[in-house]
Amino acid sequence: MKNLLLFILLIGFTFSSSAQDDTSSADYSKWQARFRIISVIPSPGDDISGADVDISTAFVPELDFTYFFTKNIAAELILATTKHDVEIENGVDLGHVWLLPPTLNLQYHFYAGDFKPYVGAGVNYTFFYGEDEGDVAGMDYENTFGFSLQAGIDYNLTDKWFLNFDIKKLFLSTDVDVDTGEGVLPVEVDIDPLVIGLGVGMKF
């Protein structure tokens, strides 16, 4: 977490001196879209003593759309869905679950030639679906709100196309009811994934 915050601050301070903060200029596209391949790396935790939960990493495609209010200020909507295997580290298989976490970030963009770094923060609402119960009788995940931090950089290939590298940290916890067959065990599970993406974007 400290490394992520340091990364975000370094990007902002490194490019702020060369940023062209000219919000009156019309020399920017109102809309852009990106297609990324992302790695979703959970940092799981739970409130069960002596039974640590483990959640698998997922690699999936992601699509996002960004609208610029000014040359520097924008809002980005991120859309992706991931499947994660879940187990207790003592060997109990808790099956798998699909996550759909649409995330809306408010961003600030810097400009330095063909490079456009940005930082952002926002909220998400995660839907859990397609649960498989594994070795237990049932699993029920509660849909939940979370928060996000973001930093990344675009690199212009042409006036229309650009490359993108992006890193996000989602702060996400959910309440899970585990049906053991002998009763329901309520568990609070921290997922808190780090999301690293690389892709291509288009301005329009």
Side-chain angles (χ1 to χ4, degrees):
M1 177 58 195
K2 291 181 179 178
N3 290 338
L4 177 64
L5 291 174
L6 180 60
F7 174 66
I8 292 172
L9 290 173
L10 283 176
I11 284 184
F13 286 118
T14 299
F15 288 92
S16 61
S17 60
S18 58
Q20 301 172 5
D21 189 10
D22 181 10
T23 57
S24 64
S25 172
D27 187 23
Y28 66 96
S29 300
K30 286 284 189 179
W31 287 94
Q32 66 183 32
R34 300 186 189 90
F35 176 81
R36 303 185 184 104
I37 298 298
I38 60 173
S39 173
V40 181
I41 309 167
S43 299
D46 61 65
D47 61 355
I48 302 178
S49 177
D52 293 330
V53 68
D54 185 50
I55 304 174
S56 66
T57 295
F59 296 88
V60 297
E62 179 228 65
L63 183 66
D64 72 72
F65 297 94
T66 304
Y67 178 77
F68 284 79
F69 302 100
T70 71
K71 186 175 181 178
N72 300 91
I73 299 174
E76 178 190 65
L77 178 63
I78 302 159
L79 303 171
T81 187
T82 60
K83 177 185 175 183
H84 298 274
D85 297 322
V86 185
E87 64 179 26
I88 300 295
E89 289 184 351
N90 61 12
V92 178
D93 180 14
L94 299 182
H96 63 253
V97 64
W98 287 82
L99 278 65
L100 177 62
T103 303
L104 182 65
N105 284 331
L106 184 65
Q107 301 173 329
Y108 190 90
H109 291 253
F110 305 90
Y111 292 80
D114 287 327
F115 291 92
K116 186 173 66 175
Y118 57 87
V119 294
V123 296
N124 72 19
Y125 187 79
T126 299
F127 299 90
F128 296 86
Y129 68 99
E131 297 95 341
D132 175 81
E133 64 275 7
D135 293 336
V136 297
M139 298 285 292
D140 183 32
Y141 296 81
E142 182 180 345
N143 298 339
T144 185
F145 281 99
F147 299 95
S148 68
L149 292 176
Q150 177 187 38
I153 188 167
D154 296 326
Y155 176 74
N156 291 327
L157 298 174
T158 68
D159 289 341
K160 185 174 183 179
W161 295 95
F162 58 92
L163 297 176
N164 172 258
F165 173 76
D166 184 89
I167 183 168
K168 289 182 286 291
K169 179 68 176 180
L170 303 185
F171 301 93
L172 177 63
S173 297
T174 182
D175 292 325
V176 184
D177 288 333
V178 182
D179 187 348
T180 65
E182 300 178 354
V184 175
L185 176 66
V187 184
E188 182 179 347
V189 177
D190 298 324
I191 302 173
D192 296 342
L194 182 68
V195 183
I196 302 173
L198 182 66
V200 63
M202 180 182 69
K203 305 171 188 176
F204 57 95

